[in-house]
Amino acid sequence: MTGRIVVGVDGSERSIRALKWAAAQAALTGDALQAVIGWEYPASWATLMPGVPPEFDPERLARQILDESLERALAPDVTASVTRTVVGGNPSQALIDQSRGASLLVVGDRGHSGFAAAVLGSVSTNVSQHAPCPVVVVRGE
């Protein structure tokens, strides 16, 4: 019986590195790979982006980022076997929820948001403290 490795993806170079690491680990262990992206509207959505067209669909954009990240990071045969999960909500909480019952949760050390000087990003910090399974934080080169 195999397990499941969950990997957080946000399209950043660090998450691409985490995705590659998670895929290599899944190949070693025989675990299934689940790529997860979480999205949410910023608290000040209306004031930060007043000209956003009504047809803008953040869930569709998140799915596109996830698909493009998988295509960039993995061989087509590996990409085809990855379960893709798009969750509307806080990215940290989405990863924590999706990692229930998983063998491992993998994230990059920093993503698109946060302060560049931070050692760990907010998502990697949150999941390393609250995930219900072991967490691997893939750091820079």
Side-chain angles (χ1 to χ4, degrees):
M1 184 171 170
T2 61
R4 177 173 51 96
I5 296 175
V6 174
V7 58
V9 178
D10 68 2
S12 68
E13 286 302 317
R14 308 258 182 169
S15 78
I16 296 296
R17 192 173 294 125
L19 180 56
K20 289 178 180 179
W21 190 95
Q25 184 66 20
L28 288 172
T29 62
D31 288 342
L33 185 60
Q34 178 184 4
V36 176
I37 186 168
W39 65 271
E40 64 183 347
Y41 289 107
S44 55
W45 172 258
T47 58
L48 285 177
M49 305 178 85
V52 174
E55 66 273 6
F56 176 71
D57 183 354
E59 184 173 355
R60 187 179 69 211
L61 178 59
R63 187 171 308 284
Q64 178 182 343
I65 290 168
L66 183 58
D67 290 343
E68 290 173 358
S69 296
L70 288 166
E71 290 170 14
R72 232 174 95 205
L74 307 176
D77 60 321
V78 176
T79 300
S81 67
V82 175
T83 301
R84 301 165 195 222
T85 306
V86 178
V87 178
N90 177 277
S92 297
Q93 191 61 52
L95 289 169
I96 291 166
D97 292 345
Q98 291 296 314
S99 68
R100 293 195 201 300
S103 306
L104 192 63
L105 172 59
V106 181
V107 294
D109 60 345
R110 286 194 307 272
H112 276 307
S113 61
F115 298 100
V119 175
L120 288 178
S122 61
V123 171
S124 56
T125 299
N126 277 334
V127 300
S128 64
Q129 294 174 351
H130 301 289
C133 65
V135 175
V136 170
V137 178
V138 178
R139 303 240 7 214
E141 296 182 39

